[in-house]
Amino acid sequence: MTGPPAPEAEDVVACEAVVPAPPQEVFRWFVRPELLVRWIGIDAQLEPWPGGRFRFEISDGQWCSGHYLEVVPGRRVVVTWGWESGAIPVPPGSSTVTVELSEHPEGTLVHLVHSGLAPELRPLHAQGWSRFMPRLAAVVAGRDPGEDPARSALPPSLRP
C-alpha cells in the first residue's frame, strides 16, 4: 500500500508507503548498495554510518549525493541530498532526506520527509518520491517494480 504525499509542513516533501516486511529488513534497502539500486538508481556508493558517503546514480551520469547523518538500524536513516550535475539546482548535501520506519500491521510504515528544498523544486521531488516508494514496496515483496520512473520523470536536461 502506498499513498499520496502525507500532510506535512508546507516547506517539505513527504511520502509514505507500507512495505510488507519488518523494519529491520526494510532498513537494509536504504543502506546496502545492491538493494538500493533495485528500487532507485543504477549504481550506488554507500557508507552507512554518520558522516559516511551517500551517493547513487539515478540515471546515466546523473548522481545524487550527500552524507549519512543518522543511521539507526531498523528505525531511521537520515541523509543529506543533492544533485552533482547542477541540472537540478540542489547542490549535494544542501537538502535532507529523513526516513522513519515503524511497525505496521502489514509490515513497515516508511515515512519519508525531504526538507530544505526551494519551493519551485518541491513538486519535482514530490513526484519522484511518490514514484519510487511503490518500487521499494514491490521489490521488498519480491515483485517486479515495473519501469524505472527516472527514465520518464526526470526533466529533459537529465534524461539519458
Side-chain angles (χ1 to χ4, degrees):
M1 175 176 95
T2 61
E8 289 286 340
E10 291 183 16
D11 62 345
V12 301
V13 167
C15 196
E16 290 186 338
V18 174
V19 178
Q24 279 295 115
E25 172 64 18
V26 176
F27 172 81
R28 295 171 356 110
W29 293 80
F30 287 91
V31 298
R32 293 189 46 192
E34 72 277 12
L35 297 178
L36 183 83
V37 299
R38 292 192 45 211
W39 66 278
I40 188 170
I42 56 177
D43 189 15
Q45 302 162 359
L46 307 178
E47 298 170 339
W49 55 81
R53 174 194 274 203
F54 177 82
R55 184 174 190 252
F56 73 97
E57 188 176 18
I58 196 161
S59 65
D60 294 331
Q62 298 301 324
W63 291 85
C64 294
S65 66
H67 291 90
Y68 285 91
L69 298 176
E70 290 183 54
V71 181
V72 181
R75 294 189 31 217
R76 182 175 167 96
V77 177
V78 181
V79 297
T80 62
W81 175 281
W83 297 84
E84 292 181 8
S85 72
I88 296 177
V90 179
S94 67
S95 66
T96 303
V97 174
T98 301
V99 178
E100 298 278 351
L101 307 173
S102 56
E103 291 186 19
H104 183 276
E106 297 174 32
T108 299
L109 175 64
V110 179
H111 180 74
L112 182 144
V113 175
H114 195 155
S115 60
L117 295 166
E120 64 274 13
L121 296 171
R122 290 181 201 135
L124 174 69
H125 287 83
Q127 182 183 50
W129 288 121
S130 68
R131 289 182 174 176
F132 280 108
M133 293 295 278
R135 288 177 61 82
L136 170 65
V139 298
V140 171
R143 297 189 314 268
D144 180 349
E147 183 181 345
D148 181 353
R151 295 290 180 221
S152 60
L154 288 175
S157 62
L158 293 180
R159 290 187 194 147

